[in-house]
Amino acid sequence: MRDAFQSALLLSPEIKAAQYRIQSLTSRREAASSLTSQPLTVEGAYRTDSLHNDQGLRELTLGVSAPVWNWNEKSSTQTVRDAEIQEAQLQLEQTKLEIAGQVRQLVWDLQAAQVDVDIAKLRFASVSDLLASVNKRVNAGELAETDLMQARVLLSQAEAEQARAMGLLEQAKASYFAGVGLQASTVEKYLPENATISEGVKVADHPSLKLAQAQLVLNQSQKKLTATQSRPNPEIGLALISERAAFFSGQDKSLVLSTRIPLGSSSEYKSRVLEAQANETAANARLLNTQRNLGSRSRLAESELELFSRLRLAATAQANLSQKVYELHKKAFELGETDLATLIRLEQTAVEANRLNSKATIEYAAKVSAYRQAMGLLP
């Protein structure tokens, strides 16, 4: 199953884009460590009176302005960027777990379809042997023509079941190839995953819970950052001015230090604060829901695993007993000690018991995978 999981990861667009998304967030984190909140701005101006009275006025201004951080805004921004990187990394783990769940479902659906085909083929072969035996005895005068007709009807049913099972298997193969990217015909039968969970594995380590916690931390950090942004960033400017008042005048140079402090809008700031508060409240509610849901699903998966373990043992015992009864009556039929109707009924019972046994084995393996999925474990 690990190969199928790795192949599915290579097909996922989210997995392919995750690396670049994390690199983008890392670059934003580096930008939050700069001395200014935004890149520096270069300014330039030239003033002349040549198009008017042309007294020789010339003025050249070159300057630079730098947006500065609000109080505590820089540290709050860095905290938000760190939380964004952590959230993106945990989102990647959550995506991997979701893909693992899809792969597990595809694998056991494929195995269940293959089991149906195997059972249908075995039944068709068994009924073919029975038809040959009945036909031989009808020719010998030991059975009536109606017995032969019953055997032919049974063979037609087995053939139809085999065709139906093969059709469902092809559908399962197509779904498997679409989700995993591997040809199902080249995949061997999978063994169940290990049902034993290490003692150190807890629901608290589940990627979904860690992601919800990280999202809460991110929203809390964004709320603190919003509190520092009551107004746009102020700017500090430094400019050098070179001017000449008129012809034959000397060049005068001066240095200008300026500042710009936006006043901001109380209504707009209040709106952003309330929105940040709403996002934090929603993230906290999602965390509580995730904790409750994961605990419930893990307990349900564990109880289903125990139940299907008992069902598998019961189905195995029933299949073995039904097969023995059928074989005994088949020998009795060949000796003429029982009729065909009884043999057909017992054959159908044995086939159904064998099918349920095989299904129980697959379902148990699927429940093991579901239990590991509920605990947040990858294949």
Side-chain angles (χ1 to χ4, degrees), residues 140-151:
E142 298 177 3
L143 294 176
E145 189 69 26
T146 55
D147 293 328
L148 180 60
M149 295 177 62
Q150 291 184 39

Side-chain angles (χ1 to χ4, degrees), residues 117-379:
V117 171
D118 294 341
I119 294 175
K121 288 182 177 180
L122 289 175
R123 190 187 184 199
F124 181 78
S126 176
V127 173
S128 297
D129 293 340
L130 178 62
L131 177 60
S133 177
V134 171
N135 188 38
K136 182 179 179 180
R137 296 183 61 182
V138 168
N139 293 333
E142 298 177 3
L143 294 176
E145 189 69 26
T146 55
D147 293 328
L148 180 60
M149 295 177 62
Q150 291 184 39
R152 287 175 177 171
V153 169
L154 191 63
L155 181 64
S156 298
Q157 293 176 351
E159 187 176 6
E161 290 177 2
Q162 180 178 350
R164 178 178 178 275
M166 293 182 68
L168 294 176
L169 177 60
E170 291 302 319
Q171 294 180 10
K173 286 182 177 181
S175 299
Y176 182 86
F177 179 75
V180 176
L182 296 176
Q183 291 292 343
S185 58
T186 63
V187 179
E188 298 180 356
K189 291 187 176 180
Y190 292 96
L191 295 176
E193 297 183 76
N194 189 4
T196 304
I197 303 298
S198 303
E199 294 182 359
V201 178
K202 301 178 181 178
V203 177
D205 299 324
H206 198 286
S208 297
L209 184 58
K210 289 184 177 181
L211 177 60
Q213 292 170 342
Q215 289 173 341
L216 176 59
V217 172
L218 174 59
N219 281 278
Q220 290 173 341
S221 301
Q222 289 175 336
K223 177 184 175 183
K224 293 180 181 179
L225 175 61
T226 302
T228 67
Q229 297 172 329
S230 58
R231 60 176 60 88
N233 297 95
E235 294 183 9
I236 295 178
L238 182 65
L240 178 64
I241 299 177
S242 177
E243 60 181 342
R244 185 185 69 183
F247 291 117
F248 308 110
S249 298
Q251 291 283 342
D252 296 328
K253 295 183 179 180
S254 60
L255 185 66
V256 178
L257 179 64
S258 63
T259 181
R260 186 176 66 176
I261 302 178
L263 298 179
S265 171
S266 60
S267 298
E268 191 271 340
Y269 171 67
K270 182 179 180 181
S271 173
R272 290 188 289 111
V273 169
L274 291 175
E275 182 179 2
Q277 178 65 47
N279 293 335
E280 180 189 10
T281 302
N284 189 47
R286 283 195 299 269
L287 175 59
L288 295 177
N289 290 337
T290 301
Q291 289 176 329
R292 182 171 55 255
N293 293 336
L294 288 178
S296 175
R297 283 189 292 181
S298 64
R299 291 190 296 269
L300 176 61
E302 186 175 7
S303 62
E304 286 185 341
L305 183 61
E306 296 177 358
L307 174 62
F308 275 83
S309 177
R310 295 195 297 268
L311 289 177
R312 182 183 58 164
L313 295 177
T316 300
Q318 180 184 4
N320 292 336
L321 181 60
S322 299
Q323 187 64 29
K324 290 180 180 179
V325 172
Y326 169 68
E327 290 175 356
L328 290 175
H329 278 76
K330 186 177 180 180
K331 292 180 180 179
F333 173 76
E334 293 173 353
L335 297 175
E337 297 176 357
T338 185
D339 59 352
L340 180 61
T342 302
L343 183 63
I344 291 176
R345 177 175 56 82
L346 294 175
E347 185 270 342
Q348 292 175 341
T349 302
V351 168
E352 182 64 19
N354 187 30
R355 187 184 69 83
L356 292 176
N357 180 36
S358 300
K359 284 288 189 180
T361 302
I362 296 298
E363 288 176 350
Y364 173 75
K367 293 303 177 182
V368 172
S369 296
Y371 178 51
R372 295 181 65 87
Q373 182 77 17
M375 297 301 295
L377 299 177
L378 299 177

